């Protein structure tokens, strides 16, 4: 187990270094100057020159990169060019929103897709099952930004139940925050529900035909107990792999959905920072996202062994 | 049958949950006494430090926090702010200001002549740092002979100087706050800064010790980040935003609870040519294109008809400096255009590229209309849409383009509005060069008489129209939706949302 964790940790560091270098290289190719982009065409050239110098932007990019990496090692993520504040503060300010959005999406996915999958599997090939398959097929096919716009139109314009961009933090108004995050979370969740639902359904059908299920029934176990103790547990292993992937998708989904719903989260920060050529912020965010994905994969691996003791971490 | 039932119940519960939560979040604002206002912030400020900031959207908010020796007036002039009075010497080289008595910074400290000197030194790089402003090329020295007098000497006579002394160009800052101007802004304006969260909000609060005791009326102003037009109009409709620009097609939706105010922006929306590049180095080609473009069509397509046609690089919002005779100088005339092109040797037309930025869709919408119209004279125009950062780099800085569509935001100084067409001006992105124009601008800079100056600016505008370095299209209008619970909206020829004069309607 320890060796496994150490190996994973090594892999994590290697991944982060690799990703950081790629980001750096991409920024070398991108045209555009952060200060000019921020101040626009009406800017006084004298001011641009002075600000570039103050920010150290007149140095070659590899030196700026060097400073940044040096800072990372000391645990300092550097200073945002666009917002003139520490990258750390910018990211931490936005984490609660993005994490709760991702978490809510995941909860919705789990609590909708697993019951739906089980129900569909128990009534295999009935017209309800068929209908669900068609719906989920649609759910997977519709891009999330489009889904988001439809939901805003429906709940914002037609029913007037929801006003996009009126996000309030959890600390200020719990129900307000929940209300402003529910639609975005649903937007992210719908395509993932479809994916997860199919795995649950197929898993339950497949496991239901196994010998051990017949044995369990033969022993006189109730239908509920057979389902919950035997079938579900075994059919959830492939689902868990998928949930790991889904969580990664959810993290990526927040980037798009935050744009559509004008939510001040990590995703919106990332898009803004790229368009303003705010290298320190982009570097910090890309590393954060990579870190989250690697950690999720790690957790999924550990969960495997919990669900199925036969799987050992080597 | 049961599963269908379960499904419908799940769905119904989901809907209930959504509606329950959302309405909960919305109703809480109603019923409060309206001494607080929420205003849309379209983009984050570039800097909170006014000596570093440039973006007009920044000053739209921060002119409520900062003041210069002067402050802008609705008719495009300036009036004393931190200064109480001003006196200009006959040769136009010495400006003497008296400090306003009893004026205080937001932290309660009195404003001193040292603070004024510090502010100018910081801008011009006299205090050790590099200069932050081109005022460094105009100002020779700032002296403070006594505790209430400031004397500014100029290197050469510069007639638009007073209009450069508002907070947009020369805000007065507190010396002791030097290192914190950007994080903890302190000014002398009617509102003081409370907090700023990027991509979220900027909050201002009434400054009780403001020198004009009648102002402001409101206790709190929240600028709420809302970059998306459609989402903004929904927020206006639901009452989450009290003041916001709305797109013309949404005006009817928000009219019931809001008063609509139409404002000229004093901007110049144009299609500029690279006057150095063939075939645009031939003025006949530029004139021909000016005869082809139907400005009304462009205004309809890009601004839903809400714009005033322009003939030169000046908007009617500039009042007496605006040359109104030029608006219809180029009436759409395909015959004339063809003749001019033939004369220039392009009788069969040519192909060109219009490079526009993607950050606002008005540029590509205008480009599409123009490209379609140019076909009539055999010009094949391709549209190249690029990112804003790339546009600034390729088009603006490296001038590597043929034609582009952009808008320049106005200032209260007519000189500033025209200066980018001078041959050696660093922001002359169109590579325009005309000796007559240059000499008119030089005369205007030295001229002390305002009426004489206005006449020179009008002549300069005429040169621009005739030489056509660009097709001057329009000044677009903003439709402001202001919640009917408020009144007192003041229009300025610059980006300035004057919150000090806004008050509850009753």
């Amino acid at each position: 187990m320890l060796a496994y964790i150490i190996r994973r940790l090594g892999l994590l560091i290697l991944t982060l270094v690799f990703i950081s270098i790629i980001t750096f290289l991409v920024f070398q190719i991108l045209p555009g100057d952060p200060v000019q982009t921020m101040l626009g065409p009406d800017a006084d050239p004298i001011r641009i020159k002075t600000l570039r110098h103050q920010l150290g932007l007149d140095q070659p990019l590899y030196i700026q990169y060097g400073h940044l990496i040096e800072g990372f090692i000391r645990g300092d993520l550097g200073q945002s060019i666009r917002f003139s504040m520490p990258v750390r503060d910018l990211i931490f300010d936005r984490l609660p929103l993005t994490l709760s959005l991702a978490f809510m999406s995941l909860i919705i996915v789990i609590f909708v897709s697993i019951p739906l999958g089980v129900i569909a599997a128990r009534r295999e090939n009935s017209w309800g099952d068929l209908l669900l398959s068609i719906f989920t097929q649609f759910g997977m096919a519709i891009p999330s930004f489009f889904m988001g716009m439809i939901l805003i139109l429906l709940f914002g314009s037609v029913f007037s139940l929801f006003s996009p961009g009126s996000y309030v933090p959890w600390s200020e108004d719990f129900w307000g925050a929940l209300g402003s995050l529910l639609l975005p979370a649903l937007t992210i969740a719908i395509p993932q529900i479809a994916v997860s639902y199919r795995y649950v359904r197929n898993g339950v059908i497949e496991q239901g035909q196994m010998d051990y299920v017949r044995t369990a029934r033969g022993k006189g176990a109730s239908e509920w107990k057979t389902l919950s103790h035997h079938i579900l547990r075994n059919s959830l292993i492939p689902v868990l792999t998928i949930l790991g992937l889904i969580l990664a998708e959810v993290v990526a989904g927040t980037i798009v959905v935050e744009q559509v719903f004008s939510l001040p989260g990590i995703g919106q920060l990332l898009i803004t920072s790229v368009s303003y050529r705010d290298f320190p912020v982009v570097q910090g965010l890309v590393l954060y996202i990579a870190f989250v994905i690697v950690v999720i994969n790690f957790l999924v691996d550990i969960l495997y062994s919990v669900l199925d003791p036969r799987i050992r971490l080597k | 049958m049961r599963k269908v039932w379960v499904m419908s119940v799940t769905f119904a519960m989901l809907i209930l949950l959504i509606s329950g939560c959302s309405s909960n979040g919305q109703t809480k604002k109603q019923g409060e006494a309206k001494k607080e206002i929420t205003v849309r912030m379209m983009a984050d400020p570039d800097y909170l430090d006014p000596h570093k900031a440039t973006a007009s959207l920044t000053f739209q908010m921060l002119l409520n926090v900062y003041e210069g020796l002067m402050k802008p007036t609705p008719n495009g002039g300036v009036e004393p702010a931190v200064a109480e009075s001003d006196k200009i010497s006959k040769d136009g080289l010495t400006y003497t200001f008296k400090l306003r008595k009893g004026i205080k910074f937001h932290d309660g400290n009195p404003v001193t002549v040292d603070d004024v000197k510090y502010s100018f030194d910081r801008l011009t790089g006299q205090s050790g740092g590099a200069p932050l402003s081109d005022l460094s090329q105009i100002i020779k020295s700032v002296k403070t002979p006594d505790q209430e007098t400031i004397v500014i000497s100029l290197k050469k006579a510069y007639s638009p100087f007073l209009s450069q002394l508002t907070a947009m160009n020369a805000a007065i800052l507190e010396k002791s706050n030097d290192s914190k101007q950007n994080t903890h802004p302190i000014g002398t304006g009617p509102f003081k800064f409370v907090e700023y969260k990027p991509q979220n909000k900027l909050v201002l609060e009434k400054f009780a010790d403001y020198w004009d005791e009648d102002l402001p009326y409101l206790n709190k102003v929240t600028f709420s980040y809302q970059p998306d037009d459609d989402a903004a109009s929904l927020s206006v409709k639901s009452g989450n935003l009290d003041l916001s620009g709305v797109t013309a097609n949404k005006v009817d939706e928000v009219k019931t609870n809001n008063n609509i105010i139409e404002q000229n922006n004093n901007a110049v929306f144009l299609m500029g040519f690279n006057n150095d590049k063939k075939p645009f180095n031939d003025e006949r080609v530029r004139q021909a294109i000016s005869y082809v473009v139907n400005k009304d069509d462009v205004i309809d397509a890009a601004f839903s008809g809400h714009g005033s046609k322009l003939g030169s690089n000046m908007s009617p919002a500039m009042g007496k400096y605006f040359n109104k005779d030029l608006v219809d100088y180029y009436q759409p005339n395909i015959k004339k255009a063809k003749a001019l092109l033939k004369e220039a040797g392009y009788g069969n037309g040519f192909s060109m590229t219009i490079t526009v930025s993607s950050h606002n869709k008005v540029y590509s919408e205008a480009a599409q209309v123009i490209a379609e119209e140019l076909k009539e004279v055999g010009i094949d125009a391709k549209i190249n849409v690029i990112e804003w950062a790339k546009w600034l780099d390729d088009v603006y800085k490296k001038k590597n383009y043929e034609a582009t569509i952009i808008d320049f935001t106005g200032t209260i100084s007519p000189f500033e509005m025209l200066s980018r067409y001078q041959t050696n001006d660093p922001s002359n992105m169109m590579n325009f060069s005309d000796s007559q124009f240059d000499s008119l601008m030089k005369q205007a800079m030295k001229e002390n008489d305002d009426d004489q100056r206005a006449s020179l600016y009008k002549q300069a505008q005429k040169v621009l129209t005739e030489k056509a370095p660009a097709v001057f299209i329009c000044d677009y209008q903003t439709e402001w939706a202001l919640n009917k619970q408020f009144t007192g909206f003041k229009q300025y020829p610059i980006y300035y949302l004057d919150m000090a004069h806004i008050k509850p309607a009753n």
Side-chain angles (χ1 to χ4, degrees), chain B residues 4 39 79 83 105 123 152 230 240 360 426-427 450 498-500:
Chain B
V4 181
V39 184
E79 63 186 14
F105 282 113
L123 279 166
I152 302 181
D230 292 334
N240 283 339
N360 191 331
S427 39
D450 201 32
D498 180 357
M499 304 313 296

Side-chain angles (χ1 to χ4, degrees), chain B residues 189-202:
Chain B
F191 288 93
K192 56 183 179 188
F193 171 87
V194 179
E195 67 164 336
Y196 166 55
K197 291 197 157 167
Q199 299 188 304
N200 188 353
K201 63 182 173 182
L202 187 143

Side-chain angles (χ1 to χ4, degrees), chain A residues 252-297:
Chain A
T254 56
I255 296 174
V256 178
V257 168
E258 280 173 14
Q259 289 292 311
V260 178
F261 286 86
S262 312
L263 291 171
I266 295 284
Q268 206 173 55
L269 183 65
L270 180 65
I271 307 262
T272 311
S273 308
V274 171
S275 56
Y276 281 101
R277 309 288 185 261
D278 196 341
F279 182 56
V281 179
V282 173
Q283 188 68 261
L285 282 178
V286 166
L287 291 184
Y288 149 79
I289 292 171
F291 179 79
V292 169
I293 302 287
V294 173
V295 167
I296 288 171
N297 287 340

Side-chain angles (χ1 to χ4, degrees), chain B residues 176-244:
Chain B
S176 59
N177 194 39
D178 184 63
S179 59
K180 292 189 289 187
Q181 308 290 15
N182 200 49
T183 44
H184 296 93
I186 291 179
T188 59
F191 288 93
K192 56 183 179 188
F193 171 87
V194 179
E195 67 164 336
Y196 166 55
K197 291 197 157 167
Q199 299 188 304
N200 188 353
K201 63 182 173 182
L202 187 143
V203 183
L204 308 180
E205 198 179 81
K206 178 179 183 159
F207 175 42
D209 284 337
Y210 186 54
W211 56 264
D212 186 340
E213 284 165 15
D214 302 332
L215 301 176
Y217 300 104
L218 299 176
N219 293 334
K220 189 178 167 194
V221 180
T222 305
F223 291 96
S224 171
Y225 183 68
Q226 185 48 272
D228 185 72
D229 282 335
D230 292 334
S233 51
L234 278 176
S235 298
V236 170
K237 211 172 133 189
S238 66
N240 283 339
L241 281 180
D242 299 312
L243 175 60
S244 166

Side-chain angles (χ1 to χ4, degrees), chain B residues 271 273 275 282-296 309-313 324-334 336-337 340 373 432 461-473:
Chain B
M271 176 163 84
F273 304 109
N275 287 249
D282 188 328
E283 65 181 57
R284 287 168 301 190
V285 172
R286 306 194 300 258
Q287 287 161 347
I289 293 178
S290 302
Y291 276 118
V292 175
V293 175
N294 184 336
K295 294 170 188 174
D296 289 315
K309 269 191 282 182
L310 298 184
S312 188
N313 198 87
K324 60 181 188 302
D325 304 332
L326 305 171
V327 174
D328 290 319
Y329 188 92
Y330 295 101
Q331 301 268 22
N333 188 333
I334 299 298
K336 234 178 193 164
L340 278 165
E373 289 175 344
F432 180 68
Q461 288 168 56
K462 186 150 188 272
V463 175
L464 286 186
T465 308
E466 287 165 358
K467 300 282 173 185
V471 184
F472 302 100
I473 299 172

Side-chain angles (χ1 to χ4, degrees), chain B residues 93-167:
Chain B
L93 285 172
T94 313
Y95 286 68
T96 310
F97 300 91
K98 282 266 176 273
L99 190 66
R100 188 177 289 279
K101 282 198 180 66
I103 184 169
K104 283 180 181 164
F105 282 113
H106 294 154
D107 59 0
N109 293 334
V111 181
T112 66
V113 287
D114 285 344
D115 291 315
V116 176
K117 183 171 163 50
Y118 150 80
S119 302
F120 281 99
D121 287 351
R122 188 168 184 256
L123 279 166
T124 55
Q126 294 295 308
S127 50
L132 282 162
S133 157
D134 57 7
L135 283 174
S136 57
Q137 291 164 346
I138 302 164
I139 294 177
K140 195 165 105 193
S141 69
V142 178
K143 293 205 172 79
T144 53
D146 58 54
Q147 285 310 305
E148 50 187 27
T149 312
I150 303 117
V151 180
I152 302 181
S153 316
L154 305 190
K155 288 178 180 164
K156 57 187 176 188
Y158 183 70
S159 61
F161 186 62
L162 271 190
S163 64
Q164 297 271 46
L165 296 181
T166 69

